[in-house]
Amino acid sequence: MMSIVIPAYNEEKRIRGSLSETCTYMSRSGMDYEVIVVDDGSSDGTSRIVESMVTDFPKVRLVRYEKNRGKGHALRTGVLVTKGDFILVMDADLSTPIEELGKLMPYLAGGEYDIAIGSRALALSDIIRKQPWWRQGMGKMFNRIVKVLVIGEFSDTQCGFKLFTGDVARNLFMEAKIDRFAYDVEILARARRKGYGIKEVPIRWINSPESRVDPVKDSLQMLADLVRIRFAVGKVTGKRARQGSGSS
């Protein structure tokens, strides 16, 4: 079974369409699945909309708590209640279309890898709509710091489209401590430290204009979190992740 975990914070404008598209794709795939939406303390109608869709999409389940805790916390909450043999974590805005699951799945289905991560930075990545210049600059600077402080082998740690084998995901997220945007770095660092096989795969990506990122506050938080990860996990070195090239 495939478990799909979607963190959602004030997503009332997008969540209905995203869930409908995701469930329709999964139903057509013939794969057994569940979709877990984690409402990360939304102040709008996100939870109400998700609950209203359960009748038409019974594979959808809502998890909600009152206080906003961050994307990392939301994903940890969702992953730890999954039942699937595989777990996909993805963003509510479908910046990476659900169809891209078909590019990641073969690497795990064959048993060679434990994790496949979508990447926007490989030669064959297909960027339909780019981020604004300041987001691109933040991303490049963050990635350089990640390489220096924590883990240097990935071209893109922050794409919100990652596929795990179920037990590996539950193990990693159970140990994770980072609540906000730097959670990806912690998960990948812990995974590499444990020796899990990770495949970086080029994906199609469409920037969503409704960014939740505060360029000052979130940048400072991410830097502080990277220091925490460095002290908790250390600098991870070793075998370079094999990058996707469109074929095995």
Side-chain angles (χ1 to χ4, degrees), residues 96 100 103-104 118-120 125-126 159 161 201-205:
T96 304
E100 299 299 282
K103 294 180 181 177
L104 273 58
S119 177
R120 300 162 294 184
S125 300
D126 184 12
C159 180
F161 198 80
V201 183
I203 46 84
R204 183 162 58 99
W205 192 79

Side-chain angles (χ1 to χ4, degrees), residues 57-93:
F57 299 101
K59 302 281 190 179
V60 173
R61 179 154 54 117
L62 174 69
V63 177
R64 185 177 190 276
Y65 43 84
E66 293 297 325
K67 183 180 178 181
N68 175 251
R69 300 290 299 275
K71 185 178 180 181
H73 186 275
L75 285 173
R76 183 162 66 248
T77 300
V79 166
L80 294 182
V81 299
T82 57
K83 301 175 182 178
D85 303 301
F86 300 96
I87 298 173
L88 175 70
V89 300
M90 58 181 282
D91 293 336
D93 61 10

